[in-house]
Amino acid sequence: MSKNQPQKIAGIRIPDSKIATQATELLLTHGTEFIYNHSLRVFLFSSLHAQRNNLDYDRELLYTAAVFHDLGLVKPYRSADLRFEVDGANAAREFLKSHGVPLDKLQLVWDSIALHTTIGIAEHKENEVALLYAGVGLDVIGDGYEHLTKEHREEIIHIFPRQNFKKQIIPTFFEGFAHKTETTFGNIKADVCAFMIPNFRKTNFCDCILNSPWSE
């Protein structure tokens, strides 16, 4: 899969550094067109959110986080037993480490990806973490849709089509962790399992308490 696209979309410049270019190549090689389009939309939506709110951020780090944020759903990045968010975060950390990126920036990208589905926490962390969360929220559930201008929306969707997103994103998620549904305990992806698996029973936290080995 290869892509030719404008360098600037909706007024946002797509990073073209060595790190950004190689990250994009990994996404094009191992991801799908659907995940690619979603990931680039997330970067643009995140960046527009920063622009509206006058937030400073590292554009290269945010771009890398957006590119890797769903790569934990696909081979060769998905593991047998970790949350897909952690798989993506680990992959991004190893990739950036190979480029000599400092530890604090590695952690920032790791947190951005690992927490991108964690409601109530990500939005209170560093700007890059909060921005990735905001971009994902806008693309997946329309959170903040009212702040996106019609012109920007149409330009972004023209270049990175949604491809029947509402019908495709749930099975795309599920394919990435169908072999390890236990990793969805305590997070929103348990809802995906419940949607995709007839009679799926989520692990219940209260049952875990009541069935613990403690006598009282």
Side-chain angles (χ1 to χ4, degrees), residues 21 69 91 143:
T21 299
H69 88 278
D143 191 16

Side-chain angles (χ1 to χ4, degrees), residues 115 118-131 133-134:
L115 295 173
T118 305
I119 298 168
I121 294 179
E123 62 264 44
H124 300 292
K125 286 187 57 73
E126 298 88 348
N127 286 350
E128 289 79 4
V129 182
L131 287 171
Y133 175 80

Side-chain angles (χ1 to χ4, degrees), residues 2-99:
S2 62
K3 287 286 180 181
N4 292 314
Q5 64 199 28
Q7 290 187 324
K8 183 175 282 190
I9 302 166
I12 303 297
R13 190 167 67 84
I14 303 294
D16 58 359
S17 65
K18 180 179 179 180
I19 285 177
T21 299
Q22 289 187 6
T24 305
E25 290 172 354
L26 289 174
L27 177 58
L28 289 169
T29 299
H30 301 295
T32 62
E33 184 176 15
F34 182 81
I35 291 177
Y36 173 83
N37 285 341
H38 165 58
S39 299
L40 271 290
R41 290 196 306 269
V42 163
F43 169 72
L44 292 169
F45 293 153
S46 299
S47 299
L48 287 170
H49 183 82
Q51 189 177 83
R52 284 193 303 273
N53 292 279
N54 297 312
L55 299 175
D56 292 327
Y57 66 102
D58 187 309
R59 201 162 50 88
E60 184 179 64
L61 293 185
L62 180 62
Y63 182 80
T64 303
V67 165
F68 274 89
H69 88 278
D70 273 347
L71 276 178
L73 294 170
V74 301
K75 295 177 181 179
Y77 299 106
R78 65 185 178 210
S79 69
D81 58 354
L82 299 178
R83 285 181 58 160
F84 88 91
E85 300 95 332
V86 172
D87 287 334
N90 287 346
R93 181 170 58 192
E94 291 305 308
F95 168 76
L96 291 173
K97 188 185 296 184
S98 73
H99 286 274

